Amino acid sequence: MREYIIADNQDISKAGLMFLLCQRKEVPRLLLEASDKGELITRLRLHPQAVVVLDYTLFDFAETYELLALHERFKEAAWILFSDELSAPFLRQVLLGSTAFSVVMKDNSKEEIEAAIRCASHGERYICNHVSNLLLSAAPVSAHPARPASQVLTLTEQSILREIALGKTTKEIAAEKNLSFHTINSHRKNIFRKLGVNNVHEATKYAMRSGIVDLAEYYI
C-alpha cells in the first residue's frame, strides 16, 4: 500500500481525508501532512511513490508550471487535485500535461472522493463529473480580470485582496479585521472564483493591474 501526503491547509479537509483513508480496506502504510510547497517536496523526497492529495488553491505555487515541474521531478507519485474550485484553463493545462493527475472537488459526494482515492492508489486517473462537465462545456467559466475591480469584487473583497497581495496570510488578515479564519477563507475562495484565478500569484497580478495595490506599496 502506498503512502499518502495530505497537502491542504484546511483542518476540516485534512480530518475528513484522514477519516476516509483510515476507513479503507487497504489502509495506507503511512499518512503524512504538508502545509506548504517546501514541506511537500521534503515529504516527496522521502516517499517518491506517495499519493499526494493537494488543494492547489491554498498552496504557495506561483504558476501552473511549478506543479507540473514538481510532477516531473517525482514521476512515480500520483496526484489528486482536491479543491473547492479550479478554473477550466488550469485544469486543461494540468490534465493535458500528465495522466498522473486526478481531480475531485471538495463538495463532491463521498463516493466520488473515495473513487478518486481508489484510482490514484492504483495508478489510474479519476476525473469527477463536475470537472468533466466543466471541460466539455463551451461556455466561458471564468470572470473577466480586465474589468474594473468595483465591477467584479465587493468593497470587502477588494480590501481582503489587497491584504492577500501584500503577502498577509489568512490568519493574519482575520486577526487584523477581527473576523474568523473561516470567514476570511470564504472571502478568499469567492475572490479567486470571481477573478478566475487559482493562486495568490495570479490574484496579486490582478490587484496590481486594477490599482488595488500599487507597485511602490508592493515593494516596500
Side-chain angles (χ1 to χ4, degrees):
M1 185 62 186
R2 301 171 78 164
E3 302 91 349
Y4 278 78
I5 302 173
I6 300 177
D8 194 318
N9 289 320
Q10 289 182 321
D11 290 338
I12 189 66
S13 296
K14 289 189 289 188
L17 284 168
M18 288 184 177
F19 174 79
L20 288 178
L21 289 167
C22 290
Q23 293 298 306
R24 299 188 68 218
K25 292 180 180 179
E26 299 176 345
V27 178
R29 185 166 58 187
L30 188 62
L31 275 175
L32 302 165
E33 296 181 31
S35 58
D36 56 38
K37 184 173 62 180
E39 193 169 5
L40 175 57
I41 291 172
T42 298
R43 299 282 190 245
L44 281 169
R45 282 174 179 160
L46 295 173
H47 309 283
Q49 295 181 328
V51 176
V52 180
V53 186
L54 169 69
D55 189 334
Y56 176 82
T57 62
L58 296 182
F59 256 52
D60 52 338
F61 287 98
E63 298 284 357
T64 309
Y65 77 84
E66 288 190 359
L67 176 58
L68 293 173
L70 192 58
H71 160 61
E72 282 298 312
R73 183 175 175 183
F74 299 100
K75 291 185 177 181
E76 295 180 286
W79 301 77
I80 302 175
L81 299 178
F82 185 59
S83 297
D84 287 297
E85 190 157 357
L86 294 167
S87 69
F90 166 80
L91 289 166
R92 289 192 185 97
Q93 186 175 354
V94 171
L95 295 176
L96 287 173
S98 173
T99 58
F101 290 96
S102 296
V103 188
V104 66
M105 311 309 291
K106 288 189 175 180
D107 60 355
N108 280 154
S109 67
K110 175 173 173 282
E111 288 72 24
E112 280 203 280
I113 296 171
E114 288 177 331
I117 292 172
R118 183 170 59 253
C119 288
S121 67
H122 292 93
E124 301 170 358
R125 167 180 278 184
Y126 181 88
I127 300 176
C128 69
N129 289 330
H130 171 78
V131 170
S132 295
N133 292 334
L134 177 64
L135 294 176
L136 289 172
S137 173
V141 296
S142 63
H144 300 282
R147 293 167 57 194
S150 59
Q151 295 181 20
V152 180
L153 305 175
T154 66
L155 290 175
T156 298
E157 289 168 344
Q158 291 177 54
S159 174
I160 291 172
L161 174 58
R162 180 180 179 279
E163 301 303 317
I164 291 172
L166 291 175
K168 295 181 181 177
T169 66
T170 301
K171 289 182 180 179
E172 289 171 338
I173 298 171
E176 290 181 5
K177 294 185 177 294
N178 292 316
L179 296 170
S180 70
F181 177 92
H182 175 74
T183 298
I184 298 299
N185 199 43
S186 294
H187 281 303
R188 172 186 168 126
K189 293 174 187 175
N190 287 333
I191 291 167
F192 282 23
R193 175 180 56 79
K194 288 181 178 181
L195 300 183
V197 302
N198 293 298
N199 55 50
V200 171
H201 180 70
E202 293 170 354
T204 299
K205 289 195 292 186
Y206 173 88
M208 295 173 71
R209 287 198 306 269
S210 64
I212 291 176
V213 174
D214 61 47
L215 288 173
E217 184 178 27
Y218 182 73
Y219 286 109
I220 288 176

